[in-house]
Amino acid sequence: LASSLVTSLYNIVDQLFIGNTLGIVGNAATNVVFPVVTLITALSLMCGVGPSASMNINLGHNDKNAAARAVGGGFGLMVLCGLIVAVPMLIFTEPILHVFGCTDTVMPYAMPYARIISLGFVFSMIGASGPFLIRADNSPNYALLCIATGAALNIILDAIFIYGFKWGIRGAAWATVDAQFVSFLMVIRYMRKSFGVIKLKASDFKPDFRLYGKMAAIGAGPAFNFLTQALVQVFLNNALRTYGAASKYGSDICLAAAGVANKVNSLAVAMVVGMTNGLQPIASYNFGRKNYARVAEAARAVVKIVLICGCVIFACYQLFPIQITSLFGSGSDLYFEFAGKFFRIFYLLIALFGLQTSVAGFFSAQGKVSKSVTISLVRQVLFFPPLLVILPKFMGLNGVLWSGPISDLAMAVVASVLFTKELRKLDELQKHENTGHETEAAE
């Protein structure tokens, strides 16, 4: 949980410094770049959850050689995914940002920010995914240290580069890249010298695209959740640009307010992701050991905590949206008016939103990718994009906002049904397992 919250500080801190320096155009610039940041987050989860779940399941089966290969395959997958995102972003920056909803006013600020952070995508991938493997190796404190060191350095460098060197939005981008590079070096150091549960060999890191595919498949559930969130952000930005221009607020105000809200909400997402990541090694290991009662117990606890946190976040969004927005710089009365509407309407059912990640992660920890993907598919693909097309035609900009809670409700219903059925199945498997043990004891 701490690692996930600290990771989210990268985006929050940049937004705070940029918003208070550049105002609305700065907040809008980071918002239109945010889909690619979410994409990196998605791939980081895939490269972290997939290999670490495979490692834990194999350790549960007492197969340390397969566990070591999972670590090596995960590292290769991290490098590959970082390059796959960085290269197109560096070459086609401007057209990609147009697709992401960028306006002509915001483009001069968004382009340098996007290009610079792209240089660090490989470092970012390893710095974010590597701690999953380190936690799976029974070193959660060092995993947290890797991420916390980078986040703390990011804050310091933001202040130096933006206020000291007067680099503006470029300074925020370079601070992020430099901080991620330090986290990357710490992960590499651990993998070279400190792995304890298993012993890594050079042959474990030999490129194996078939193994990469297996690792990616196991981590596809949580990754699909964030991949579709990136897609949703693109649709949302374009809808805000289109219908915002036709409203009294204008496109840039809508993009900036939504950017602040999305960055703030990344803290809420981080809480859910953190609890889910804590569930993963417990669920994967005990599933491998056929201790199904422990899997169900851990899952129930995590979902309960996620729902309680969601209620607290809901209260903050409903009561203090203007105060929250004002932390990220000044703006006009219209800017704060729309920010209040965005928090209160778009995140109306934020208390249920955590079910998407936590329940999907519960299925991924057991290697049940299809159910994990289904939960994300309902909100991010089947409901949200169509609603963004249909509702604004009748409700204008308000239709864009109401598409959020309606999609959240549909997802929550599906997630609850699948989760309840899976818990019953685990209970039945545990009864069968207990019966088998009793028969062996009698014999």
Side-chain angles (χ1 to χ4, degrees):
L1 175 60
S3 296
S4 186
L5 287 171
V6 170
T7 299
S8 71
L9 288 178
Y10 277 104
N11 295 320
I12 294 289
V13 168
D14 278 357
Q15 192 80 40
L16 283 167
F17 277 100
I18 292 170
N20 282 283
T21 303
L22 298 175
I24 289 175
V25 290
N27 285 326
T30 56
N31 184 34
V32 295
V33 179
F34 200 50
V36 76
V37 176
T38 304
L39 175 59
I40 286 293
T41 302
L43 295 176
S44 297
L45 277 173
M46 181 183 75
C47 296
V49 171
S52 59
S54 178
M55 175 184 167
N56 280 299
I57 290 172
N58 283 310
L59 287 174
H61 292 148
N62 201 30
D63 189 347
K64 292 187 176 181
N65 289 330
R69 289 194 296 274
V71 174
F75 184 81
L77 186 61
M78 295 171 202
V79 175
L80 181 63
C81 289
L83 291 174
I84 287 174
V85 180
V87 173
M89 196 67 196
L90 287 167
I91 298 175
F92 306 109
T93 311
E94 186 170 354
I96 289 175
L97 291 178
H98 273 300
V99 172
F100 286 176
C102 192
T103 65
D104 292 338
T105 305
V106 174
M107 185 64 75
Y109 301 92
M111 276 191 66
Y113 185 77
R115 281 180 170 157
I116 293 170
I117 65 169
S118 297
L119 296 173
F121 280 166
V122 173
F123 306 139
S124 176
M125 288 291 302
I126 297 173
S129 303
F132 282 82
L133 297 171
I134 295 172
R135 278 193 295 269
D137 193 52
N138 290 335
S139 296
N141 291 335
Y142 188 84
L144 174 58
L145 182 63
C146 292
I147 297 172
T149 300
L153 184 60
N154 186 40
I155 296 173
I156 296 170
L157 293 178
D158 265 329
I160 294 173
F161 293 165
I162 294 176
Y163 294 133
F165 295 170
K166 307 296 183 183
W167 287 357
I169 198 167
R170 289 177 173 84
W174 279 117
T176 298
V177 172
D178 292 346
Q180 290 169 344
F181 183 69
V182 171
S183 295
F184 156 79
L185 290 178
M186 294 178 69
V187 170
I188 295 299
R189 176 190 175 278
Y190 185 91
M191 298 186 77
R192 288 186 61 191
K193 297 182 178 181
S194 305
F195 247 95
V197 175
I198 56 178
K199 299 301 179 184
L200 298 174
K201 306 181 295 296
S203 59
D204 294 326
F205 295 86
K206 182 180 179 181
D208 185 341
F209 289 95
R210 182 176 296 180
L211 179 60
Y212 296 168
K214 292 179 180 179
M215 298 295 99
I218 295 174
F224 187 81
N225 178 15
F226 276 86
L227 282 171
T228 52
Q229 281 190 38
L231 181 65
V232 161
Q233 287 163 8
V234 172
F235 278 111
L236 179 60
N237 283 347
N238 280 281
L240 290 171
R241 180 176 62 182
T242 300
Y243 293 98
S247 72
K248 64 180 180 179
Y249 303 108
S251 299
D252 291 339
I253 281 179
C254 292
L255 287 170
V260 168
N262 285 332
K263 294 297 176 65
V264 170
N265 196 58
S266 68
L267 282 174
V269 173
M271 292 181 188
V272 179
V273 171
M275 293 302 303
T276 304
N277 292 346
L279 167 67
Q280 181 266 315
I282 299 172
S284 296
Y285 181 81
N286 285 286
F287 189 78
R289 295 292 297 271
K290 298 184 179 180
N291 186 358
Y292 303 113
R294 185 66 167 166
V295 177
E297 178 190 7
R300 287 188 177 99
V302 166
V303 169
K304 184 184 297 184
I305 293 171
V306 163
L307 290 175
I308 292 172
C309 289
C311 291
V312 174
I313 293 164
F314 166 79
C316 292
Y317 287 178
Q318 294 297 314
L319 296 174
F320 311 113
I322 307 303
Q323 292 86 340
I324 293 171
T325 306
S326 65
L327 295 174
F328 296 84
S330 59
S332 63
D333 290 341
L334 286 176
Y335 170 64
F336 286 109
E337 179 184 326
F338 181 75
K341 290 183 65 174
F342 194 92
F343 272 107
R344 287 176 174 140
I345 298 176
F346 191 78
Y347 290 128
L348 181 63
L349 294 183
I350 189 65
L352 301 178
F353 180 77
L355 290 174
Q356 179 172 313
T357 300
S358 59
V359 177
F362 164 64
F363 284 116
S364 294
Q366 302 173 68
K368 299 177 180 179
V369 179
S370 60
K371 292 182 179 180
S372 178
V373 168
T374 297
I375 295 169
S376 299
L377 192 67
V378 169
R379 182 191 189 274
Q380 314 287 57
V381 177
L382 297 182
F383 274 83
F384 192 77
L387 286 172
L388 273 181
V389 174
I390 297 170
L391 291 184
K393 292 185 180 299
F394 302 96
M395 302 171 64
L397 189 59
N398 285 332
V400 176
L401 302 182
W402 279 105
S403 61
I406 296 173
S407 303
D408 288 337
L409 180 61
M411 173 278 301
V413 171
V414 173
S416 299
V417 171
L418 291 177
F419 184 64
T420 302
K421 288 184 176 180
E422 189 65 22
L423 290 179
R424 290 173 183 167
K425 183 177 179 181
L426 288 172
D427 290 340
E428 290 299 319
L429 288 172
Q430 188 62 58
K431 290 178 183 178
H432 179 74
E433 193 69 17
N434 292 341
T435 302
H437 289 316
E438 291 172 0
T439 301
E440 290 177 3
E443 291 176 352

